[in-house]
Amino acid sequence: MTMQAAHDVLSTRQMRAVLAVLERCEELGDGPDFKEGLAEAIARYFDVRDVTFFHGRTYSTIFDDPAPVLTGATESLLSAYHERWRDKDVFTLPQARRALTENGFATLDELSRLPVPQHSYVVDYLHPNDMDTASAMHLQLADGEALIGMFDKVRTWEASDVVAVRMLARQLRARTVSVSVADASVDELAALTPRQREVAALVSEGLSNAEIAERLFLSELSIKKYISRIFEATGHRNRSELATAVLRHDRRASA
């Protein structure tokens, strides 16, 4: 939906909320400030009691975020979530993932026929903690993916509300593809061996596997194995992400 078409569906209040969040994000830099600022803006302008921001290298690792942004009722629940509920989160379901990655926003009410574990998550975890309504926004980032969770005791998402948040998600996605939210002080390459760092550096120079193999006097198969292990150790999904991480590491080292 275009901005003009949205004007025909959304109220003045909803349009102002979308624009206010976008304007706030333009003021934010990378890193934790972006996470906290976006969560705060959504809570304020869309009148949501509790907003969370979980980040991961891939969609499936979002739910393992050890240090998400948490607000309100969610702040004291992280340990219980990690210990018992993260693999039962309703937004881990394939139908939720499809809706989120395609549309940018999904509500609990849109998910039908919850399996037993996810039903238990809603009844035994969300409801007792005054989170009777739940929804999430999905964003693609320069360093992974994120889910912004929205929880409240009572919150009815009208059809126009859903349109507003989905429009916000589309607009945010155009911005967040260049945003990194991981703590810049964390060395993403710390877990690599010296040889793996050497291979990663050559990847960042744009060399192919064959060229790296020739440079290091190794077989191309060995280089493929090295790169696979590097991806596994760092969580990066492709050569471009790895190259960005190497350049970021080098900038910190020379600062």
Side-chain angles (χ1 to χ4, degrees), residues 89-91 93 95 105-114 118-119 121-123 126-127 131-136 150-151 157:
D89 193 312
V90 291
F91 296 112
L93 292 171
Q95 61 169 313
F105 178 70
T107 69
L108 178 60
D109 290 342
E110 294 176 298
L111 306 179
S112 59
R113 299 179 182 177
L114 294 179
Q118 280 70 31
H119 179 75
Y121 172 83
V122 172
V123 174
L126 293 183
H127 289 178
M131 294 185 286
D132 290 353
T133 63
S135 56
M150 306 175 203
F151 306 92
W157 289 97

Side-chain angles (χ1 to χ4, degrees), residues 195-228 230-231 239 242:
R195 177 62 100 178
Q196 287 173 335
R197 285 176 181 256
E198 190 175 11
V199 171
L202 294 172
V203 168
S204 74
E205 293 178 15
L207 274 63
S208 67
N209 287 357
E211 290 169 331
I212 296 172
E214 183 178 359
R215 180 81 62 90
L216 298 180
F217 302 103
L218 295 170
S219 70
E220 192 171 347
L221 179 59
S222 294
I223 299 304
K224 287 181 180 178
K225 290 180 179 178
Y226 269 116
I227 293 176
S228 177
I230 290 168
F231 286 161
R239 299 170 85 95
L242 178 59

